[in-house]
Amino acid sequence: MRYLVISDIHANLEAFEAVMAAAQPLKYDKVLLLGDLVGYGADPNAICDLVRQMKPDALIRGNHDKVGSGVESPEGFNAVARNAIKWTCDTLTRDNREWLAALPAGPLIVDDLIEICHGTPFDEDAYVFDDLDALRAMHAARRPLCLFGHTHVQVGHYLSRDQFGLATADDERPLTITLDDANRYLVNPGSVGQPRDGDPRAGFGMVDTARRDMTIYRVEYPIPKAQARILEEGLPEVLAQRLALGR
Ligand code: ZN
């Protein structure tokens, strides 16, 4: 079984199209989507429509999906995120808003190997920023490979009997992580639509359960086009600028 793993699309249509085009020749059987379809970007309806057509095999909500669909208030969002999510809420069709509002919360068990969550398995909105967060998330996970999003940083942690470390220290992409049966893994495939790890390219992942490995990829997309769309819709300029920086 091969799973395409995508997260944090954030209404960036250009990035999403580039990821789907890059993933297609790699061949996959199922799609796992880790939340935050909308928020920040200029095409929330187009993304909802495409994801609904795609029918992911596992799909959970992110914090922006909750606020953008009115499930939660934007309390806790900074001024820029709040501005964008209000615009998102006003722009979504009623049908898409209701569909987003009904998305399930993570964590979700996919199979014997994989569990998915937006933030962490113990709290869908919590961030994995440091080693302590990663260890806590790994201990809460009920499957050896826990896939998460939310931070927009493409990273993999592993935990063996006597060691805890990074499975993704190398900057080269694509990068394949071999999944040792004795270890646990916590992997973020990166953000499709708003990377924040200094690499502006869109991120995604592919798990091969037969080969017992996960590969993470980065793919170029037309950033100026996504930026122009953000400005065209009157969204905060900083949201366009950050796409070029990957921050
Ligand atoms: Zn996000």
Side-chain angles (χ1 to χ4, degrees), residues 5-211:
V5 189
I6 44 186
S7 190
D8 297 276
I9 301 168
H10 284 291
N12 185 333
L13 180 60
E14 290 72 23
F16 183 64
E17 285 176 340
V19 163
M20 295 313 291
Q24 201 234 336
L26 300 171
K27 303 265 191 289
Y28 52 89
D29 307 294
K30 293 188 173 184
V31 179
L32 312 179
L33 217 167
L34 316 184
D36 274 2
L37 280 66
V38 303
Y40 298 130
D43 288 291
N45 283 308
I47 292 298
C48 287
D49 294 343
L50 287 170
V51 169
R52 291 174 76 170
Q53 271 169 35
M54 186 170 84
K55 294 192 179 68
D57 299 274
L59 168 58
I60 50 172
R61 67 188 187 183
N63 50 322
H64 286 256
D65 303 323
K66 282 194 284 185
V67 179
S69 63
V71 171
E72 250 179 28
S73 83
E75 210 180 312
F77 274 39
N78 63 40
V80 169
R82 194 181 290 226
N83 178 321
I85 209 67
K86 187 181 178 308
W87 175 88
T88 301
C89 200
D90 294 343
T91 303
L92 281 168
T93 63
R94 189 180 162 165
D95 191 40
N96 280 334
R97 202 163 45 235
E98 286 175 358
W99 175 76
L100 273 178
L103 291 183
L108 193 73
I109 288 174
V110 175
D111 61 15
D112 289 348
L113 176 69
I114 303 168
E115 173 173 356
I116 63 172
C117 59
H118 184 63
T120 71
F122 56 86
D123 178 346
E124 61 177 334
D125 296 332
Y127 289 90
V128 173
F129 278 136
D130 56 27
D131 287 357
L132 212 61
D133 298 336
L135 269 174
R136 198 175 160 209
M138 283 164 126
H139 283 298
R142 292 161 296 169
R143 289 294 180 269
L145 174 59
C146 180
L147 303 171
F148 74 106
H150 201 30
T151 60
H152 303 199
V153 173
Q154 192 176 51
V155 69
H157 305 270
Y158 77 95
L159 180 65
S160 69
R161 210 147 47 120
D162 49 15
Q163 237 181 346
F164 166 73
L166 281 179
T168 51
D170 199 328
D171 277 345
E172 291 283 305
R173 298 287 184 269
L175 184 144
T176 298
I177 304 164
T178 301
L179 305 171
D180 188 316
D181 284 344
N183 299 348
R184 302 182 74 81
Y185 296 86
L186 179 72
V187 183
N188 187 325
S191 168
V192 171
Q194 197 200 72
R196 292 180 196 160
D197 49 13
D199 183 342
R201 296 176 299 169
F204 70 99
M206 194 75 76
V207 179
D208 191 312
T209 60
R211 280 205 320 243

